[in-house]
Amino acid sequence: MKMLWIGLVTVLWSTMAFATTPVCVTVQQKSWYRPPPEAPPRAAPAGSTPDPAASPLAFPPPTSKPAPPTVFTSAPTVFTSAPAQGEKRSASRHEIDPTQYLKRMLEYEVTHEVGFAAVDGRCDQRLSVDLYQLESGWTVFARYSGTEREEKVAHVELDEFGELAQRIAFSLLRNRAIGTTITRENVLRDDSEKNLRTIDGTGHFIFGMGTAVRMAKLATAQGATQPTADQLRVLTPLSVQVGYRRKLRAWGLDVFGRLNLGTENTGIHRNDLGGHIDYAGSGLVGLHFLRYADAPGINSFYFGGGAAFELAVLEAIRPLAQRMGSLSSSRESLLGGGLNLDVLMGYEFLRASSVHFFGQIELNTPTYLLKTENDSGAIDTYMPGALAQIGIIF
């Protein structure tokens, strides 16, 4: 039995060793700078006589007196190591070679990835990195032959090579986008949002009018001398909306305020006992997100959703004994409200103009029960609704 366990461990160990992939790491520094153009030779002015001394093949002009003989002396020539005035000293002997630095960092990260080992030769796969010099730092292109994946980092500095090596190795060996390898400990300057360009959208004011449909079970008068009874009623208030629409390519955002005005009112003389409920109106403030089906088109459907906070006002008829003789004292208000969830669909047309139009329908689903009461009546109902409106965008 013991020998069997030893054999299994040996087989597993050899299998794990065999599964290790040898990877050669290479780092090269390249350049994409264009060399400066050579200055063309200056032509001699028209009508001038060429200077024979300017030609490399011209013989020296004859002199009237022979040159004195050259005299050699035995005095030794002395050389000094001090640089001449204005001459720059050579670079520091401790200057870091970025290719060697990054190569060693990558070898470390590859070796510490399970199933891989960085080697100098006899490798099955190759991880190659090209550094392109910028005015400050480098642009990095990295490729791994095992997955044929290539990743790019637009800008990196020398002090970020440790984090860069960690992310390149993990990204290429595990076949993942380098943008998904970011952690709290390996953030690069290139990841900062302040370096990202933003897309400017367009802002528009909107004005719409339409009609809403609300359904609710409310106390309803059955006659002047009869008590009220709860009945399912369909309410159709008028709707007026103003807001601001921000468009960003295929997306849109609506911030709006809406006022619904009740259009039905039961006479007080039809309910002497009181308690009948009428819908007076409501106010909403909401936020909708939109998605355009044809963002660059002159006309486009759109759909979306969002939410709105609603405050509804309903009125209960007072009993005859509590009325003071005036219409204002014959009804008592009931307030209720909460958050509505909305889904919508619309159509914008003539969008090439700065002033264009839209039509829109919505379904409104409250997340609450409208539940309130006073001395004149009570409400305990769920009041979903819908809206149809047309409007102008400018």
Side-chain angles (χ1 to χ4, degrees):
M1 190 67 177
K2 182 178 180 180
M3 295 300 295
L4 179 61
W5 278 107
I6 294 175
L8 288 174
V9 171
T10 303
V11 171
L12 290 174
W13 180 265
S14 61
T15 302
M16 291 176 63
F18 180 77
T20 300
T21 303
V23 179
C24 290
V25 178
T26 59
V27 180
Q28 298 181 358
Q29 182 155 326
K30 297 184 177 181
S31 175
W32 47 28
Y33 288 104
R34 182 175 59 186
E38 297 181 359
R42 298 179 61 184
S48 63
T49 303
D51 184 5
S55 174
L57 301 177
F59 293 99
T63 57
S64 58
K65 295 182 179 180
T70 303
V71 179
F72 296 92
T73 64
S74 60
T77 305
V78 179
F79 296 93
T80 63
S81 60
Q85 185 176 3
E87 181 183 347
K88 296 182 178 179
R89 293 184 179 271
S90 61
S92 171
R93 294 183 180 181
H94 300 289
E95 184 178 357
I96 294 178
D97 182 349
T99 59
Q100 295 297 325
Y101 182 34
L102 183 56
K103 180 176 183 295
R104 188 64 188 90
M105 290 290 185
L106 283 168
E107 289 174 343
Y108 174 85
E109 296 295 340
V110 170
T111 301
H112 282 74
E113 282 293 325
V114 178
F116 299 91
V119 297
D120 293 330
R122 295 185 179 180
C123 50
D124 295 339
Q125 306 296 341
R126 183 173 296 275
L127 192 157
S128 57
V129 178
D130 295 334
L131 299 178
Y132 285 83
Q133 183 76 46
L134 302 172
E135 292 184 4
S136 172
W138 295 266
T139 294
V140 180
F141 295 89
R143 185 180 182 86
Y144 177 55
S145 60
T147 57
E148 296 298 328
R149 188 179 192 93
E150 185 177 40
E151 293 291 335
K152 181 196 75 171
V153 178
H155 178 236
V156 67
E157 299 283 353
L158 185 66
D159 62 343
E160 300 176 295
F161 274 15
E163 293 81 5
L164 175 70
Q166 180 187 114
R167 292 179 60 178
I168 285 178
F170 189 82
S171 168
L172 298 183
L173 299 181
R174 302 304 179 189
N175 198 20
R176 294 177 57 182
I178 198 168
T180 64
T181 63
I182 186 172
T183 68
R184 293 176 56 190
E185 299 177 349
N186 61 13
V187 179
L188 304 175
R189 294 184 183 91
D190 194 57
D191 298 312
S192 175
E193 292 184 355
K194 67 182 181 181
N195 294 327
L196 300 179
R197 294 183 175 91
T198 58
I199 300 173
D200 289 334
T202 57
H204 307 267
F205 290 101
I206 59 174
F207 177 77
M209 298 181 66
T211 184
V213 178
R214 310 299 297 270
M215 298 180 65
K217 197 171 186 180
L218 301 173
T220 306
Q222 304 299 309
T225 60
Q226 300 295 322
T228 61
D230 289 342
Q231 291 183 354
L232 183 65
R233 289 157 57 185
V234 178
L235 312 171
T236 56
L238 296 177
S239 177
V240 179
Q241 175 177 310
V242 293
Y244 177 79
R245 178 169 293 184
R246 183 74 175 177
K247 299 179 185 179
L248 186 64
R249 291 191 174 179
W251 297 94
L253 173 68
D254 270 359
V255 181
F256 65 91
R258 183 181 299 160
L259 184 63
N260 294 331
L261 303 175
T263 56
E264 299 177 4
N265 220 357
T266 299
I268 59 175
H269 299 295
R270 296 183 57 187
N271 185 217
D272 292 342
L273 298 180
H276 175 86
I277 305 295
D278 285 322
Y279 177 85
S282 64
L284 299 93
V285 177
L287 185 68
H288 286 163
F289 296 93
L290 315 176
R291 172 72 177 183
Y292 289 91
D294 184 11
I298 295 179
N299 307 318
S300 176
F301 284 100
Y302 63 88
F303 55 91
F309 180 80
E310 180 178 21
L311 180 64
V313 181
L314 295 96
E315 294 180 340
I317 297 178
R318 295 176 186 268
L320 182 61
Q322 298 179 8
R323 301 170 195 170
M324 303 299 179
S326 63
L327 292 178
S328 60
S329 64
S330 62
R331 299 176 187 269
E332 189 172 0
S333 297
L334 294 161
L335 300 178
L339 186 69
N340 296 339
L341 299 181
D342 308 328
V343 292
L344 60 93
M345 183 177 68
Y347 185 73
E348 281 189 15
F349 50 98
L350 301 179
R351 301 172 72 219
S353 171
S354 59
V355 178
H356 45 287
F357 307 91
F358 74 96
Q360 180 173 303
I361 57 175
E362 294 180 22
L363 294 178
N364 314 120
T365 305
T367 61
Y368 59 94
L369 286 175
L370 194 62
K371 189 173 183 178
T372 183
E373 63 179 332
N374 56 27
D375 294 338
S376 301
I379 303 171
D380 187 2
T381 187
Y382 186 68
M383 192 164 60
L387 171 72
Q389 65 175 344
I390 58 172
I392 184 172
I393 303 174
F394 57 95

